[in-house]
Amino acid sequence: MEKLAAKEAIRSGKTYLGIELGSTRIKAVLIGDDYTPMASGSHEWENQLVDNIWTYSLEAIWGGIQDCYQDLVKDVKAKYEEELTTIGAIGFSAMMHGYMVFDKEGKILVPFRTWRNTITGEAADKLTELFQYNIPQRWSIAHLYQAILKGEEHVKDIDYMTTLEGYVHWMLTGERILGIGDCAGMFPIDGETKKYNQKMVDQFDALIAEKNFPWKLLDIMPKAGYAGEKAGVLTEAGAKLLDPTGKLQAGIPMCPPEGDAGTGMVATNSVDKRTCNVSAGTSAFAMVVLEEDLAKLHRELDMVTTPDGAPVAMAHCNNCTSDLNAWVGLFEQFLGAMNVTTDKNKLYETLYKEALKGDTDCGGLLSYNYFSGEHITHFEEGRPLFVRTPDSRFTLANFMRTHLFTSMGALKIGMDILKEENVSIDSVVGHGGLFKTEEVGQRFMAAAMGAPVTVMETAGEGGAWGCALLAAYMQTKAEGESLADFLSDKVFAGAKGITLAPKAEDVESFECFMKSYRAGLPIEAKAVELHK
């Protein structure tokens, strides 16, 4: 968008804002009527392990959102000499799943329990058996039932249960609503009604009836919202909470808050049937929009939906690049000790490209990137681990190749299950930090997926851009225009990207690594057992 047009859009409020709370960064993206980013802001943050619970405090949540928004305001001012006082529509997104519960006064009852926790195994198993539907440990209903099984005192006082972006939206608008994509990460969705599965709701209420809680499940759950619907407006109190300077006006329409999986689908034009997107950063997940439900129950796969309610199979991995980043950080420390300075992007590029020179069998090296538990391989806890035999070929190329492959190892297992179900995929779009270095992550992901992978020029914008697009869709869609048509015809028409097909030698190398990966899982299990 040209500068004069952008200035007018900012003054008149013909802009759309998306803010996403990711695992390590909160990001804001402002777009105009051409749907391209005009300005952005960010705030770095990190979860804390408190009493063996991965959490973010409410102070960190609001401090981070406010700092991110002010960073955006500064960017708008610097680029366009304009004060940001109104916006056409706003959308919020965040890490899916987790457990945030509040009493009737709106007080949080226990610290936020994030998706990263693997503490609900008993509940997840029992609910999966009851529903005959996979309930992952991350899901809100698993956290709720685990708290009930443990006899936690707070449960009787619950008035509202939601996820992170649902909480933020509630505080800003007063509306208890959540996008259906993340509703599906709280409790199973009925594919026909596109609402919470009533049969399973009734089963759960009957399961806990003897507890005599003063609530039924639907009493405490957010309403399901759909892409294109209005989900309230920014209140006076909400405007001051988002912008304590008081310059942002109230009354701005807000779209249903959606999980990061949903915004990732939007940001990669992957909401139509037979499309897939792969997000690879701190965690990794592949989202495949299905033509029909899977034939069997698979504990390794989540069944969720697109932001407009279409069924999606998700292979979700708690771990992806954290261990890889830690090793890159070690090399950076070494360079510092040698008094050598280098750009971090250059360091990543150099190390990643070295992996392309590695041996087919990765030199016999093996690693597991499990900072936390990994449900696809049935681990409740994780221990980052690197293993080699005395006769292994311990080269930098093999070392980096091993760590890049293992960052996709659990995801590969999930995708192989979908192949067994004869799920067809026409296109895969990759986004996230793994793809920032040209070619390497994309090439290896194509080998893991067994399909061509496209990385678009817009891939770096991520979920914050995706929820800005959902806000724009709500305000600008034509009558009867589907989300898929809006994205394909208006947002991504003429979009540029690079597509890499799987190379035979990479597929062979990845399959060779996966044999070692599967065979070596008992080593990881022993590490968890011995190193508490």
Side-chain angles (χ1 to χ4, degrees):
M1 183 178 287
E2 294 182 357
K3 188 171 182 178
L4 285 177
K7 287 169 72 70
E8 176 55 31
I10 292 165
R11 288 194 204 108
S12 61
K14 292 183 178 179
T15 56
Y16 311 98
L17 172 62
I19 299 180
E20 182 163 279
L21 291 84
S23 301
T24 58
R25 183 174 65 156
I26 303 173
K27 184 172 181 180
V29 171
L30 189 72
I31 66 175
D33 284 336
D34 63 354
Y35 311 115
T36 60
M38 299 166 58
S40 64
S42 66
H43 170 84
E44 304 293 325
W45 72 338
E46 187 55 80
N47 55 194
Q48 296 84 41
L49 188 63
V50 179
D51 296 329
N52 289 319
I53 300 290
W54 290 107
T55 188
Y56 299 85
S57 68
L58 297 188
E59 292 77 15
I61 291 168
W62 289 111
I65 290 172
Q66 291 166 358
D67 184 61
C68 176
Y69 179 78
Q70 289 304 318
D71 196 43
L72 170 74
V73 168
K74 290 176 185 176
D75 195 37
V76 169
K77 187 75 170 177
K79 289 178 176 175
Y80 308 108
E81 300 92 35
E82 293 289 341
E83 200 76 61
L84 193 59
T85 60
T86 188
I87 298 163
I90 301 175
F92 269 86
S93 176
M95 302 163 277
M96 287 180 69
H97 317 296
Y99 184 70
M100 296 189 82
V101 286
F102 303 86
D103 64 16
K104 289 183 178 179
E105 283 70 48
K107 178 183 177 183
I108 194 165
L109 292 168
V110 291
F112 171 31
R113 298 171 182 177
T114 78
W115 61 271
R116 195 173 188 180
N117 291 287
T118 49
I119 56 176
T120 64
E122 180 185 6
D125 290 345
K126 289 184 175 180
L127 292 176
T128 297
E129 179 65 26
L130 176 66
F131 299 152
Q132 285 301 293
Y133 188 101
N134 184 36
I135 303 297
Q137 290 201 48
R138 301 179 307 281
W139 284 26
S140 306
I141 193 64
H143 280 281
L144 175 63
Y145 189 47
Q146 190 68 50
I148 292 171
L149 291 174
K150 290 175 64 179
E152 293 191 38
E153 184 67 21
H154 77 271
V155 175
K156 69 180 188 319
D157 298 319
I158 296 175
D159 185 65
Y160 186 40
M161 176 175 70
T162 189
T163 62
L164 178 54
E165 78 274 13
Y167 160 69
V168 171
H169 185 91
W170 177 41
M171 291 291 99
L172 297 179
T173 67
E175 300 290 337
R176 295 186 174 193
I177 190 169
L178 185 66
I180 190 170
D182 206 6
C183 284
M186 293 187 73
F187 192 87
I189 295 293
D190 185 317
E192 293 186 6
T193 67
K194 295 188 178 182
K195 296 180 180 179
Y196 297 116
N197 187 299
Q198 189 60 52
K199 177 184 176 182
M200 297 179 193
V201 168
D202 293 341
Q203 288 176 314
F204 184 80
D205 283 338
L207 178 67
I208 65 170
E210 63 180 20
K211 301 294 184 180
N212 293 314
F213 295 126
W215 49 261
K216 299 282 190 182
L217 182 60
L218 293 186
D219 296 337
I220 63 172
M221 295 280 282
K223 172 189 172 185
Y226 308 91
E229 288 186 345
K230 286 187 169 60
V233 299
L234 187 67
T235 63
E236 291 283 355
K240 291 178 181 177
L241 189 55
L242 180 56
D243 178 17
T245 69
K247 293 176 182 176
L248 183 64
Q249 299 172 13
I252 297 170
M254 294 186 65
C255 65
E258 193 47 271
D260 54 357
T263 56
M265 284 186 271
V266 171
T268 54
N269 194 21
S270 303
V271 300
D272 218 348
K273 292 178 181 179
R274 297 168 65 105
T275 61
C276 172
N277 85 90
V278 178
S279 173
T282 303
S283 62
F285 50 78
M287 313 285 296
V288 182
V289 186
L290 302 175
E291 296 178 277
E292 57 186 11
D293 291 338
L294 299 179
K296 300 177 183 177
L297 184 157
H298 298 281
R299 291 302 307 270
E300 299 86 356
L301 301 175
D302 290 25
M303 293 301 299
V304 292
T305 78
T306 63
D308 54 354
V312 172
M314 176 167 69
H316 183 288
C317 310
N318 285 351
N319 305 280
C320 185
T321 59
S322 292
D323 194 41
L324 185 57
N325 293 340
W327 283 107
V328 173
L330 188 68
F331 286 115
E332 185 178 34
Q333 290 178 39
F334 167 73
L335 290 174
M338 294 289 290
N339 293 319
V340 176
T341 58
T342 185
D343 176 73
K344 197 157 191 174
N345 290 330
K346 180 65 175 177
L347 178 60
Y348 270 96
E349 180 183 355
T350 301
L351 291 171
Y352 275 35
K353 289 192 172 180
E354 192 70 17
L356 297 176
K357 306 173 187 175
D359 297 326
T360 298
D361 65 351
C362 297
L365 310 183
L366 180 62
S367 72
Y368 294 96
N369 60 335
Y370 294 3
F371 263 63
S372 59
E374 191 57 78
H375 77 283
I376 283 184
T377 48
H378 310 292
F379 281 86
E380 292 192 6
E381 296 181 56
R383 300 290 183 273
L385 187 67
F386 174 68
V387 182
R388 66 188 182 99
T389 59
D391 61 347
S392 60
R393 296 178 297 284
F394 190 33
T395 66
L396 180 61
N398 285 332
F399 183 82
M400 290 307 301
R401 192 178 189 89
T402 297
H403 283 285
L404 278 159
F405 277 11
T406 202
S407 70
M408 310 173 207
L411 185 68
K412 168 70 171 167
I413 291 174
M415 295 308 296
D416 284 348
I417 293 170
L418 288 176
K419 287 183 182 178
E420 294 169 8
E421 283 267 5
N422 297 314
V423 170
S424 298
I425 302 173
D426 291 338
S427 61
V428 179
V429 178
H431 59 110
L434 185 70
F435 301 104
K436 285 184 178 179
T437 295
E438 184 179 348
E439 181 186 3
V440 184
Q442 184 179 2
R443 179 172 150 180
F444 288 164
M445 185 62 77
M449 300 290 287
V453 174
T454 299
V455 175
M456 297 181 178
E457 288 183 349
T458 54
E461 303 302 335
W465 183 52
C467 55
L469 291 175
L470 285 172
Y473 174 62
M474 176 187 72
Q475 289 296 89
T476 67
K477 71 181 189 300
E479 185 174 353
E481 183 179 35
S482 70
L483 178 60
D485 288 344
F486 168 77
L487 294 174
S488 295
D489 298 342
K490 294 181 177 177
V491 179
F492 289 94
K496 296 179 181 178
I498 297 173
T499 301
L500 295 181
K503 291 179 177 286
E505 61 267 31
D506 291 339
V507 173
E508 179 188 358
S509 182
F510 214 110
E511 292 296 343
C512 180
F513 172 79
M514 287 305 297
K515 289 180 181 178
S516 298
Y517 184 94
R518 293 174 187 269
L521 286 169
I523 305 172
E524 173 70 14
K526 200 66 175 178
V528 172
E529 175 189 338
L530 295 177
H531 296 277
K532 292 292 184 182

Short mmCIF file of all heavy atoms in Angstrom, two decimals, residues 328 331-336 339-351:
data_model
loop_
_atom_site.label_atom_id
_atom_site.label_comp_id
_atom_site.label_asym_id
_atom_site.label_seq_id
_atom_site.Cartn_x
_atom_site.Cartn_y
_atom_site.Cartn_z
N VAL A 328 22.43 -24.23 18.30
CA VAL A 328 22.92 -23.06 17.56
C VAL A 328 23.44 -22.01 18.55
O VAL A 328 24.48 -21.37 18.32
CB VAL A 328 21.82 -22.47 16.67
CG1 VAL A 328 22.28 -21.16 16.03
CG2 VAL A 328 21.41 -23.47 15.58
N PHE A 331 26.94 -22.89 19.60
CA PHE A 331 27.94 -22.48 18.59
C PHE A 331 28.17 -20.97 18.65
O PHE A 331 29.30 -20.49 18.47
CB PHE A 331 27.47 -22.88 17.20
CG PHE A 331 27.58 -24.36 16.92
CD1 PHE A 331 26.45 -25.12 16.70
CD2 PHE A 331 28.81 -24.98 16.89
CE1 PHE A 331 26.54 -26.48 16.45
CE2 PHE A 331 28.93 -26.34 16.64
CZ PHE A 331 27.78 -27.09 16.42
N GLU A 332 27.12 -20.20 18.92
CA GLU A 332 27.25 -18.76 19.05
C GLU A 332 28.13 -18.40 20.24
O GLU A 332 28.98 -17.51 20.17
CB GLU A 332 25.87 -18.13 19.20
CG GLU A 332 25.89 -16.60 19.21
CD GLU A 332 24.50 -16.01 19.32
OE1 GLU A 332 23.64 -16.62 20.00
OE2 GLU A 332 24.26 -14.94 18.74
N GLN A 333 27.97 -19.13 21.35
CA GLN A 333 28.82 -18.90 22.52
C GLN A 333 30.28 -19.22 22.21
O GLN A 333 31.20 -18.51 22.66
CB GLN A 333 28.34 -19.78 23.68
CG GLN A 333 27.01 -19.36 24.28
CD GLN A 333 26.58 -20.30 25.40
OE1 GLN A 333 27.39 -20.75 26.20
NE2 GLN A 333 25.29 -20.62 25.43
N PHE A 334 30.49 -20.29 21.45
CA PHE A 334 31.87 -20.64 21.06
C PHE A 334 32.51 -19.52 20.26
O PHE A 334 33.65 -19.13 20.50
CB PHE A 334 31.87 -21.94 20.27
CG PHE A 334 33.17 -22.22 19.58
CD1 PHE A 334 34.29 -22.61 20.31
CD2 PHE A 334 33.31 -22.04 18.21
CE1 PHE A 334 35.50 -22.85 19.68
CE2 PHE A 334 34.50 -22.28 17.57
CZ PHE A 334 35.62 -22.68 18.31
N LEU A 335 31.74 -18.98 19.30
CA LEU A 335 32.28 -17.88 18.51
C LEU A 335 32.60 -16.68 19.39
O LEU A 335 33.62 -16.01 19.18
CB LEU A 335 31.28 -17.50 17.42
CG LEU A 335 31.09 -18.51 16.28
CD1 LEU A 335 29.96 -18.06 15.36
CD2 LEU A 335 32.38 -18.68 15.49
N GLY A 336 31.73 -16.43 20.36
CA GLY A 336 31.99 -15.33 21.29
C GLY A 336 33.26 -15.54 22.09
O GLY A 336 34.03 -14.60 22.31
N ASN A 339 36.14 -14.56 20.29
CA ASN A 339 36.09 -13.14 19.90
C ASN A 339 35.74 -12.95 18.43
O ASN A 339 36.25 -12.07 17.74
CB ASN A 339 37.43 -12.45 20.21
CG ASN A 339 37.69 -12.36 21.69
OD1 ASN A 339 36.78 -12.06 22.46
ND2 ASN A 339 38.91 -12.65 22.10
N VAL A 340 34.86 -13.82 17.94
CA VAL A 340 34.37 -13.74 16.56
C VAL A 340 32.91 -13.32 16.62
O VAL A 340 32.10 -13.95 17.29
CB VAL A 340 34.50 -15.09 15.84
CG1 VAL A 340 33.89 -15.00 14.44
CG2 VAL A 340 35.96 -15.52 15.76
N THR A 341 32.59 -12.26 15.94
CA THR A 341 31.20 -11.82 15.90
C THR A 341 30.59 -12.21 14.57
O THR A 341 31.24 -12.14 13.52
CB THR A 341 31.09 -10.29 16.08
OG1 THR A 341 31.84 -9.65 15.05
CG2 THR A 341 31.61 -9.86 17.43
N THR A 342 29.31 -12.63 14.61
CA THR A 342 28.62 -12.99 13.37
C THR A 342 27.13 -12.70 13.54
O THR A 342 26.60 -12.72 14.65
CB THR A 342 28.82 -14.48 13.03
OG1 THR A 342 28.23 -14.76 11.76
CG2 THR A 342 28.17 -15.39 14.06
N ASP A 343 26.48 -12.42 12.43
CA ASP A 343 25.04 -12.23 12.44
C ASP A 343 24.36 -13.57 12.72
O ASP A 343 24.73 -14.59 12.16
CB ASP A 343 24.60 -11.69 11.07
CG ASP A 343 23.09 -11.56 10.96
OD1 ASP A 343 22.54 -10.64 11.58
OD2 ASP A 343 22.49 -12.40 10.26
N LYS A 344 23.36 -13.55 13.61
CA LYS A 344 22.73 -14.81 14.00
C LYS A 344 22.04 -15.47 12.82
O LYS A 344 22.04 -16.70 12.70
CB LYS A 344 21.73 -14.57 15.14
CG LYS A 344 21.35 -15.84 15.87
CD LYS A 344 20.84 -15.57 17.27
CE LYS A 344 20.71 -16.85 18.06
NZ LYS A 344 20.34 -16.61 19.48
N ASN A 345 21.41 -14.69 11.95
CA ASN A 345 20.79 -15.27 10.77
C ASN A 345 21.83 -15.99 9.90
O ASN A 345 21.55 -17.06 9.34
CB ASN A 345 20.06 -14.20 9.96
CG ASN A 345 18.83 -13.68 10.65
OD1 ASN A 345 18.19 -14.40 11.41
ND2 ASN A 345 18.49 -12.42 10.40
N LYS A 346 23.02 -15.39 9.79
CA LYS A 346 24.10 -16.00 9.02
C LYS A 346 24.56 -17.30 9.67
O LYS A 346 24.88 -18.29 8.99
CB LYS A 346 25.27 -15.03 8.90
CG LYS A 346 26.46 -15.55 8.11
CD LYS A 346 26.11 -15.78 6.66
CE LYS A 346 27.33 -16.19 5.85
NZ LYS A 346 26.99 -16.50 4.45
N LEU A 347 24.58 -17.31 11.02
CA LEU A 347 24.98 -18.52 11.74
C LEU A 347 23.99 -19.65 11.46
O LEU A 347 24.39 -20.79 11.17
CB LEU A 347 25.04 -18.22 13.24
CG LEU A 347 25.40 -19.39 14.17
CD1 LEU A 347 26.77 -19.96 13.80
CD2 LEU A 347 25.38 -18.94 15.62
N TYR A 348 22.70 -19.35 11.55
CA TYR A 348 21.68 -20.35 11.25
C TYR A 348 21.83 -20.86 9.82
O TYR A 348 21.78 -22.07 9.56
CB TYR A 348 20.27 -19.78 11.45
CG TYR A 348 19.73 -19.96 12.85
CD1 TYR A 348 19.82 -18.95 13.79
CD2 TYR A 348 19.09 -21.15 13.21
CE1 TYR A 348 19.31 -19.12 15.08
CE2 TYR A 348 18.58 -21.33 14.49
CZ TYR A 348 18.68 -20.30 15.42
OH TYR A 348 18.18 -20.48 16.68
N GLU A 349 21.99 -19.92 8.88
CA GLU A 349 22.11 -20.30 7.47
C GLU A 349 23.30 -21.22 7.25
O GLU A 349 23.20 -22.24 6.56
CB GLU A 349 22.24 -19.04 6.62
CG GLU A 349 22.37 -19.34 5.13
CD GLU A 349 22.58 -18.08 4.30
OE1 GLU A 349 22.52 -16.97 4.88
OE2 GLU A 349 22.81 -18.20 3.08
N THR A 350 24.43 -20.88 7.84
CA THR A 350 25.64 -21.68 7.67
C THR A 350 25.46 -23.09 8.22
O THR A 350 25.81 -24.09 7.56
CB THR A 350 26.83 -21.00 8.36
OG1 THR A 350 27.02 -19.69 7.80
CG2 THR A 350 28.10 -21.81 8.20
N LEU A 351 24.93 -23.18 9.45
CA LEU A 351 24.77 -24.49 10.08
C LEU A 351 23.71 -25.33 9.37
O LEU A 351 23.90 -26.53 9.18
CB LEU A 351 24.41 -24.31 11.55
CG LEU A 351 25.53 -23.74 12.45
CD1 LEU A 351 25.00 -23.41 13.83
CD2 LEU A 351 26.68 -24.74 12.55
#
